[in-house]
Amino acid sequence: MNAADPNGALIVAVILFSLGALGVLVRRNLLFMLMSTEVMLNAACLAFIAAGNRWHLADGQVMFIMIVAFAAAESAVGLAIILRMHAAGRATLDADTGNRLGG
Amino acid sequence: MNIVLELYGLIAIGATALAITRTIPVHGLLYLVVSLLALACMFDELGAPFAAMLEIIVYAGAIIVLFVFVVMMINLGQPDQLREKGWFAGGAWIGPGVIAALLMGLLVYGTQRSTMAVGTAGTPIGPQQVGLTLYGPYILTVELSSFLLLAGLVSAYHIGRRIGGKS
């Protein structure tokens, strides 16, 4: 029943990582840049799970839990910075205007 | 060769490609939720049901909801969408697209060059085994991630502390 192929999952992970990198490079909206970072972290998770399936070890899922904790901390800080920028009176989320953050 | 796994992978890739090309943040977030659910199905298919449930509960249920809350709070206006459309119209996709395609090609080449045969894909790895590994050899990593979460909590509180006092 469980004859899943880790190679296909690795290819999917690579494509997802490239899509996330493309999103970070292209988009200038801070919210979309954070979302693309989440996509890249998910691709790393998928690679870990695929490797854990290949070697039949639980270490892949342990690393997945670590990545989830890291993603939660990262998105919390990033979204707090976005809210702070908005409260400082910026009408746009354009990353090119981030140098006006100030304190 | 499992056709279901590739199907979920295609759904995840398509939803992600749609998510990073939307101009309205909520639409992008909803496509991202679809992508995360497809990824959870992939995890389950790869013999990691605990990771699949964590993906749904923590990622789609907590982190994306946090994003949705922020989108609701900051009330984006029309100028942002006009700016985004301006970015899409130009040739801004060419350079990053070439770089991302190069990265993808190199990674696919690197991962497929080494012959990784399908191993002993036996029974799924349940939560019990994951818990024993997590609190056995990886106990130091658990402590370090608790430090990381505490630091994230303190810094998020510190950054956002004056929002209520203002206005």
mmCIF file of all heavy atoms in Angstrom, chain A residues 39-64:
data_model
loop_
_atom_site.group_PDB
_atom_site.id
_atom_site.type_symbol
_atom_site.label_atom_id
_atom_site.label_comp_id
_atom_site.label_asym_id
_atom_site.label_seq_id
_atom_site.Cartn_x
_atom_site.Cartn_y
_atom_site.Cartn_z
ATOM 1 N N VAL A 39 6.650 28.980 1.827
ATOM 2 C CA VAL A 39 6.674 27.951 0.779
ATOM 3 C C VAL A 39 8.034 27.262 0.734
ATOM 4 O O VAL A 39 8.138 26.031 0.629
ATOM 5 C CB VAL A 39 6.327 28.579 -0.582
ATOM 6 C CG1 VAL A 39 6.618 27.597 -1.702
ATOM 7 C CG2 VAL A 39 4.882 28.984 -0.623
ATOM 8 N N MET A 40 9.106 28.065 0.874
ATOM 9 C CA MET A 40 10.448 27.466 0.846
ATOM 10 C C MET A 40 10.661 26.546 2.052
ATOM 11 O O MET A 40 11.238 25.450 1.925
ATOM 12 C CB MET A 40 11.503 28.573 0.830
ATOM 13 C CG MET A 40 11.551 29.319 -0.478
ATOM 14 S SD MET A 40 12.411 30.866 -0.330
ATOM 15 C CE MET A 40 14.091 30.313 -0.398
ATOM 16 N N LEU A 41 10.170 26.970 3.223
ATOM 17 C CA LEU A 41 10.309 26.105 4.402
ATOM 18 C C LEU A 41 9.527 24.813 4.227
ATOM 19 O O LEU A 41 9.977 23.739 4.620
ATOM 20 C CB LEU A 41 9.818 26.848 5.641
ATOM 21 C CG LEU A 41 10.749 27.938 6.151
ATOM 22 C CD1 LEU A 41 10.074 28.724 7.252
ATOM 23 C CD2 LEU A 41 12.000 27.326 6.687
ATOM 24 N N ASN A 42 8.354 24.914 3.571
ATOM 25 C CA ASN A 42 7.562 23.711 3.329
ATOM 26 C C ASN A 42 8.271 22.767 2.390
ATOM 27 O O ASN A 42 8.185 21.543 2.550
ATOM 28 C CB ASN A 42 6.211 24.106 2.741
ATOM 29 C CG ASN A 42 5.182 24.242 3.806
ATOM 30 O OD1 ASN A 42 4.963 23.308 4.534
ATOM 31 N ND2 ASN A 42 4.591 25.403 3.914
ATOM 32 N N ALA A 43 8.975 23.323 1.407
ATOM 33 C CA ALA A 43 9.724 22.472 0.483
ATOM 34 C C ALA A 43 10.826 21.725 1.232
ATOM 35 O O ALA A 43 11.048 20.528 1.005
ATOM 36 C CB ALA A 43 10.309 23.315 -0.642
ATOM 37 N N ALA A 44 11.487 22.429 2.165
ATOM 38 C CA ALA A 44 12.513 21.759 2.972
ATOM 39 C C ALA A 44 11.890 20.645 3.810
ATOM 40 O O ALA A 44 12.453 19.553 3.941
ATOM 41 C CB ALA A 44 13.221 22.771 3.855
ATOM 42 N N CYS A 45 10.693 20.927 4.370
ATOM 43 C CA CYS A 45 9.987 19.901 5.145
ATOM 44 C C CYS A 45 9.720 18.676 4.286
ATOM 45 O O CYS A 45 9.915 17.540 4.733
ATOM 46 C CB CYS A 45 8.648 20.440 5.639
ATOM 47 S SG CYS A 45 8.762 21.654 6.909
ATOM 48 N N LEU A 46 9.268 18.918 3.065
ATOM 49 C CA LEU A 46 8.935 17.790 2.187
ATOM 50 C C LEU A 46 10.178 16.965 1.871
ATOM 51 O O LEU A 46 10.124 15.723 1.846
ATOM 52 C CB LEU A 46 8.301 18.324 0.900
ATOM 53 C CG LEU A 46 7.852 17.272 -0.097
ATOM 54 C CD1 LEU A 46 6.869 16.330 0.548
ATOM 55 C CD2 LEU A 46 7.240 17.912 -1.312
ATOM 56 N N ALA A 47 11.305 17.634 1.678
ATOM 57 C CA ALA A 47 12.548 16.891 1.418
ATOM 58 C C ALA A 47 12.925 16.038 2.634
ATOM 59 O O ALA A 47 13.340 14.880 2.484
ATOM 60 C CB ALA A 47 13.667 17.865 1.071
ATOM 61 N N PHE A 48 12.758 16.615 3.837
ATOM 62 C CA PHE A 48 13.073 15.846 5.047
ATOM 63 C C PHE A 48 12.169 14.631 5.174
ATOM 64 O O PHE A 48 12.630 13.531 5.519
ATOM 65 C CB PHE A 48 12.928 16.732 6.280
ATOM 66 C CG PHE A 48 14.197 17.419 6.666
ATOM 67 C CD1 PHE A 48 14.295 18.790 6.616
ATOM 68 C CD2 PHE A 48 15.291 16.698 7.076
ATOM 69 C CE1 PHE A 48 15.457 19.435 6.963
ATOM 70 C CE2 PHE A 48 16.459 17.324 7.431
ATOM 71 C CZ PHE A 48 16.544 18.703 7.371
ATOM 72 N N ILE A 49 10.866 14.828 4.923
ATOM 73 C CA ILE A 49 9.930 13.710 5.068
ATOM 74 C C ILE A 49 10.233 12.630 4.035
ATOM 75 O O ILE A 49 10.174 11.426 4.333
ATOM 76 C CB ILE A 49 8.486 14.229 4.923
ATOM 77 C CG1 ILE A 49 8.168 15.240 6.019
ATOM 78 C CG2 ILE A 49 7.507 13.080 4.963
ATOM 79 C CD1 ILE A 49 7.774 14.655 7.304
ATOM 80 N N ALA A 50 10.577 13.063 2.809
ATOM 81 C CA ALA A 50 10.894 12.079 1.771
ATOM 82 C C ALA A 50 12.133 11.282 2.154
ATOM 83 O O ALA A 50 12.182 10.049 1.980
ATOM 84 C CB ALA A 50 11.095 12.782 0.433
ATOM 85 N N ALA A 51 13.145 11.986 2.692
ATOM 86 C CA ALA A 51 14.354 11.265 3.101
ATOM 87 C C ALA A 51 14.055 10.327 4.266
ATOM 88 O O ALA A 51 14.570 9.204 4.325
ATOM 89 C CB ALA A 51 15.441 12.254 3.486
ATOM 90 N N GLY A 52 13.201 10.775 5.199
ATOM 91 C CA GLY A 52 12.819 9.903 6.296
ATOM 92 C C GLY A 52 12.070 8.672 5.819
ATOM 93 O O GLY A 52 12.211 7.578 6.382
ATOM 94 N N ASN A 53 11.277 8.850 4.754
ATOM 95 C CA ASN A 53 10.578 7.699 4.181
ATOM 96 C C ASN A 53 11.557 6.751 3.507
ATOM 97 O O ASN A 53 11.434 5.536 3.612
ATOM 98 C CB ASN A 53 9.542 8.183 3.169
ATOM 99 C CG ASN A 53 8.813 7.039 2.529
ATOM 100 O OD1 ASN A 53 8.445 6.104 3.223
ATOM 101 N ND2 ASN A 53 8.625 7.094 1.232
ATOM 102 N N ARG A 54 12.562 7.330 2.848
ATOM 103 C CA ARG A 54 13.543 6.483 2.150
ATOM 104 C C ARG A 54 14.317 5.602 3.117
ATOM 105 O O ARG A 54 14.484 4.413 2.900
ATOM 106 C CB ARG A 54 14.485 7.384 1.361
ATOM 107 C CG ARG A 54 15.774 6.740 0.917
ATOM 108 C CD ARG A 54 15.534 5.648 -0.117
ATOM 109 N NE ARG A 54 16.763 4.992 -0.499
ATOM 110 C CZ ARG A 54 17.321 3.962 0.150
ATOM 111 N NH1 ARG A 54 16.744 3.498 1.236
ATOM 112 N NH2 ARG A 54 18.428 3.411 -0.277
ATOM 113 N N TRP A 55 14.783 6.202 4.221
ATOM 114 C CA TRP A 55 15.601 5.437 5.167
ATOM 115 C C TRP A 55 14.771 4.828 6.277
ATOM 116 O O TRP A 55 15.315 4.172 7.164
ATOM 117 C CB TRP A 55 16.688 6.337 5.763
ATOM 118 C CG TRP A 55 17.568 6.886 4.719
ATOM 119 C CD1 TRP A 55 17.577 8.165 4.250
ATOM 120 C CD2 TRP A 55 18.537 6.194 3.956
ATOM 121 N NE1 TRP A 55 18.488 8.304 3.250
ATOM 122 C CE2 TRP A 55 19.099 7.103 3.052
ATOM 123 C CE3 TRP A 55 18.988 4.876 3.937
ATOM 124 C CZ2 TRP A 55 20.082 6.762 2.142
ATOM 125 C CZ3 TRP A 55 19.962 4.526 3.039
ATOM 126 C CH2 TRP A 55 20.504 5.466 2.162
ATOM 127 N N HIS A 56 13.469 5.109 6.272
ATOM 128 C CA HIS A 56 12.546 4.585 7.263
ATOM 129 C C HIS A 56 13.008 4.916 8.678
ATOM 130 O O HIS A 56 13.151 4.060 9.552
ATOM 131 C CB HIS A 56 12.353 3.078 7.112
ATOM 132 C CG HIS A 56 11.060 2.622 7.696
ATOM 133 N ND1 HIS A 56 10.977 2.004 8.910
ATOM 134 C CD2 HIS A 56 9.802 2.732 7.256
ATOM 135 C CE1 HIS A 56 9.727 1.740 9.194
ATOM 136 N NE2 HIS A 56 8.982 2.169 8.194
ATOM 137 N N LEU A 57 13.278 6.205 8.896
ATOM 138 C CA LEU A 57 13.664 6.691 10.210
ATOM 139 C C LEU A 57 12.701 7.806 10.614
ATOM 140 O O LEU A 57 12.112 8.469 9.767
ATOM 141 C CB LEU A 57 15.091 7.239 10.189
ATOM 142 C CG LEU A 57 16.214 6.216 10.091
ATOM 143 C CD1 LEU A 57 17.533 6.927 9.914
ATOM 144 C CD2 LEU A 57 16.237 5.358 11.327
ATOM 145 N N ALA A 58 12.593 8.025 11.923
ATOM 146 C CA ALA A 58 11.713 9.078 12.420
ATOM 147 C C ALA A 58 12.404 10.434 12.442
ATOM 148 O O ALA A 58 11.764 11.443 12.738
ATOM 149 C CB ALA A 58 11.219 8.734 13.818
ATOM 150 N N ASP A 59 13.682 10.490 12.113
ATOM 151 C CA ASP A 59 14.429 11.749 12.203
ATOM 152 C C ASP A 59 13.881 12.810 11.254
ATOM 153 O O ASP A 59 13.929 14.001 11.568
ATOM 154 C CB ASP A 59 15.902 11.500 11.880
ATOM 155 C CG ASP A 59 16.529 10.505 12.831
ATOM 156 O OD1 ASP A 59 15.852 9.510 13.121
ATOM 157 O OD2 ASP A 59 17.658 10.725 13.259
ATOM 158 N N GLY A 60 13.367 12.365 10.104
ATOM 159 C CA GLY A 60 12.791 13.325 9.162
ATOM 160 C C GLY A 60 11.628 14.071 9.778
ATOM 161 O O GLY A 60 11.504 15.296 9.641
ATOM 162 N N GLN A 61 10.761 13.353 10.491
ATOM 163 C CA GLN A 61 9.614 14.025 11.108
ATOM 164 C C GLN A 61 10.045 14.894 12.276
ATOM 165 O O GLN A 61 9.420 15.923 12.561
ATOM 166 C CB GLN A 61 8.598 12.985 11.549
ATOM 167 C CG GLN A 61 7.987 12.255 10.368
ATOM 168 C CD GLN A 61 6.893 11.333 10.788
ATOM 169 O OE1 GLN A 61 5.946 11.740 11.440
ATOM 170 N NE2 GLN A 61 7.007 10.065 10.419
ATOM 171 N N VAL A 62 11.118 14.497 12.979
ATOM 172 C CA VAL A 62 11.640 15.348 14.057
ATOM 173 C C VAL A 62 12.113 16.683 13.476
ATOM 174 O O VAL A 62 11.803 17.764 13.997
ATOM 175 C CB VAL A 62 12.773 14.626 14.795
ATOM 176 C CG1 VAL A 62 13.475 15.560 15.746
ATOM 177 C CG2 VAL A 62 12.233 13.439 15.550
ATOM 178 N N MET A 63 12.835 16.612 12.355
ATOM 179 C CA MET A 63 13.284 17.855 11.724
ATOM 180 C C MET A 63 12.103 18.662 11.208
ATOM 181 O O MET A 63 12.130 19.892 11.202
ATOM 182 C CB MET A 63 14.249 17.551 10.585
ATOM 183 C CG MET A 63 15.601 17.110 11.030
ATOM 184 S SD MET A 63 16.295 18.124 12.321
ATOM 185 C CE MET A 63 16.529 19.639 11.438
ATOM 186 N N PHE A 64 11.037 17.970 10.779
ATOM 187 C CA PHE A 64 9.825 18.682 10.359
ATOM 188 C C PHE A 64 9.244 19.496 11.519
ATOM 189 O O PHE A 64 8.865 20.662 11.352
ATOM 190 C CB PHE A 64 8.794 17.682 9.844
ATOM 191 C CG PHE A 64 7.431 18.260 9.677
ATOM 192 C CD1 PHE A 64 7.144 19.059 8.589
ATOM 193 C CD2 PHE A 64 6.441 18.025 10.610
ATOM 194 C CE1 PHE A 64 5.897 19.607 8.437
ATOM 195 C CE2 PHE A 64 5.190 18.566 10.455
ATOM 196 C CZ PHE A 64 4.913 19.360 9.367
#
